[in-house]
Amino acid sequence: DVIAVDCEGVNMSRVGPVTLLQVATDTDAYLFDVQAMGRACFEMVSDAAVTNGANLKSVLEDPKVVKLMFDCRVDSDALFHQH
């Protein structure tokens, strides 16, 4: 499995917040309002029948899922330290 991932934020860093997370597959695109959803963005499972019980955090941490990112240094640093 391959997904494309991108983060947006305000002075995004280890302490600057991630406000928007974009995830795309070969057929669909998803936008997550991290600022509004907070931790629930990464922890909730919206439809277990579709996601097999996986949440966003488990997908992002799954070594079997290839993540396509462009210059991910700031994105990965912010995600690691904040979520």
Side-chain angles (χ1 to χ4, degrees), residues 10-43:
V10 179
N11 296 319
M12 201 167 59
S13 64
R14 291 180 182 199
V15 295
V18 175
T19 57
L20 181 71
L21 181 67
Q22 304 158 72
V23 178
T25 67
D26 58 343
T27 58
D28 298 295
Y30 304 91
L31 295 176
F32 298 92
D33 188 341
V34 180
Q35 185 171 359
M37 295 177 70
R39 287 203 162 284
C41 178
F42 298 94
E43 296 171 355

Side-chain angles (χ1 to χ4, degrees), residues 13-74:
S13 64
R14 291 180 182 199
V15 295
V18 175
T19 57
L20 181 71
L21 181 67
Q22 304 158 72
V23 178
T25 67
D26 58 343
T27 58
D28 298 295
Y30 304 91
L31 295 176
F32 298 92
D33 188 341
V34 180
Q35 185 171 359
M37 295 177 70
R39 287 203 162 284
C41 178
F42 298 94
E43 296 171 355
M44 67 184 254
V45 177
S46 61
D47 187 346
V50 173
T51 63
N52 294 321
N55 59 25
L56 182 56
K57 181 174 177 142
S58 65
V59 171
L60 293 174
E61 292 178 344
D62 188 340
K64 293 180 266 179
V65 177
V66 175
K67 289 75 161 178
L68 174 64
M69 301 177 83
F70 179 76
D71 193 10
C72 67
R73 293 173 291 181
V74 173

